[in-house]
Amino acid sequence: MTQSPPTAFDIADMTWPPPPYQPPVPPVTAADGVRRFDGITYATTPGYRPRLLDVQLPAGEGPFPAVVWIHGGGWLDGDRRYPPPTVPAALLHGTVLAAGLALVSVDYRHSLEAPFPAQLHDVKAAIRYVRAFAGDLGIDPERIGVWGESAGGHLAALAGLVGPADGTDGADGTDGGAVGVALEGTQGVGSGETGVLAVVDWYGVSDLVALADHPMPPMPSGAEFPDPYEALLGASVAERPDLARAASPVTYAGGPTPPPPFLLVHGTRDGLVPYSQSEVLAAALKGAGGEVTLHPVDGADHIFLGSPDIASIVEESVAFLARHLGAGA
């Protein structure tokens, strides 16, 4: 469908430069009543691709509590539209919507586009956008949770734990804050609340410093795949231990405010991100008085390879979010 050109009235109301995001367009409603907003530009930066998000709403009257889904891919790859190959999109999306939750799927800058904390800035920007346009999107701005897998699990954990008081938002990110890097960011809708009520973290990294000595599994012959941790940081962990700590969710688990409830799900035979990474984060969250559930998936590798029952993992994760976001209330 082509859009009509701006009218004289529209042009008179425009400002220059335009805002670094686009307002939602009208949704498309499917036969089952599910409404979709596809490809909304929530943030732009000159020289980078626009950051996009999709919104799906259950049939019925809102506003609905919302889950922000953050894809994996080693911070180097991935797409908001596709869960890991072990988890069918229809299963994940359908289970979320059936629970009375809206689903917000976000893209973010990959690490070779921009190193950390660009990825966290983008996730924070998406949350601000959803809150700013909650009325248009049919979402309850007070009931937002995050859910990610692998690199997205790492970002979900950071989104749940990092607040404006963490790091420093000085002009150059080096003005003496706790970790010397600006973590909240000003992308897209430049200011606003980014806190969330619940976090689901599937096999995410929690401590980059501890992970530095873990050997990477062998890549396929001829594959050119950068070291994901060096790409994320723009340097090795040994060269930038301060930045590695700043990028580690465990750094913030004992912050001044209680953490939101966490569900950590991790394969016990994960050869890429060891199960111990979730154990460390669970211990830190419990030590801070947080509510945390650690679910080991016995014998499963990364992305739950080897698990015979992916559906039950999805159902447990959605039930956790629905409970803490008050779906149906």
Side-chain angles (χ1 to χ4, degrees):
M1 181 178 68
T2 59
Q3 291 183 326
S4 300
T7 65
F9 177 80
D10 294 330
I11 293 171
D13 284 350
M14 288 181 179
T15 60
W16 192 263
Y21 52 84
Q22 296 289 333
V25 298
V28 174
T29 304
D32 60 2
V34 171
R35 285 171 288 158
R36 296 183 61 102
F37 299 82
D38 290 325
I40 300 173
T41 298
Y42 74 84
T44 61
T45 304
Y48 294 92
R49 62 193 166 101
R51 267 84 80 207
L52 306 179
L53 60 79
D54 300 335
V55 178
Q56 298 181 64
L57 299 173
E61 294 296 323
F64 298 98
V67 177
V68 176
W69 166 262
I70 311 168
H71 70 77
W75 310 282
L76 287 158
D77 200 0
D79 185 312
R80 70 187 187 281
R81 298 168 294 177
Y82 308 119
T86 49
V87 183
L91 171 65
L92 189 146
H93 297 179
T95 307
V96 171
L97 295 171
L101 298 165
L103 180 64
V104 180
S105 305
V106 304
D107 280 335
Y108 53 87
R109 283 170 289 178
H110 295 155
S111 56
L112 294 185
E113 295 179 275
F116 183 84
Q119 298 71 32
L120 179 58
H121 288 175
D122 290 349
V123 171
K124 294 274 190 174
I127 295 169
R128 286 195 296 268
Y129 184 95
V130 169
R131 284 207 165 98
F133 290 98
D136 300 288
L137 297 171
I139 285 173
D140 184 342
E142 301 302 319
R143 295 190 289 167
I144 296 176
V146 288
W147 178 7
E149 60 96 14
S150 196
H154 162 260
L155 295 172
L158 284 174
L161 293 171
V162 169
D166 296 297
T168 171
D169 280 333
D172 62 0
T174 57
D175 65 355
V179 292
V181 67
L183 297 174
E184 196 71 12
T186 57
Q187 297 287 313
V189 176
S191 61
E193 173 60 41
T194 60
V196 298
L197 295 185
V199 178
V200 175
D201 172 359
W202 281 1
Y203 45 85
V205 170
S206 65
D207 186 346
L208 272 77
V209 176
L211 201 58
D213 294 331
H214 178 72
M216 290 286 293
M219 294 293 108
S221 177
E224 295 184 8
F225 201 83
D227 181 287
Y229 307 110
E230 289 192 15
L232 179 68
L233 302 177
S236 69
V237 171
E239 292 169 322
R240 289 299 309 273
D242 57 334
L243 190 57
R245 286 190 294 272
S248 297
V250 292
T251 300
Y252 313 99
T257 57
F262 267 70
L263 171 63
L264 306 172
V265 190
H266 208 133
T268 59
R269 295 180 64 85
D270 193 324
L272 186 61
V273 179
Y275 176 71
S276 59
Q277 286 280 301
S278 285
E279 289 181 308
V280 166
L281 182 56
L285 291 167
K286 287 179 180 177
E291 176 188 339
V292 56
T293 300
L294 174 58
H295 175 184
V297 182
D298 289 336
D301 201 340
H302 204 61
I303 67 170
F304 303 136
L305 279 170
S307 172
D309 193 3
I310 299 295
S312 68
I313 298 172
V314 173
E315 289 164 3
E316 176 191 15
S317 302
V318 172
F320 173 88
L321 290 163
R323 182 169 69 255
H324 289 288
L325 299 180

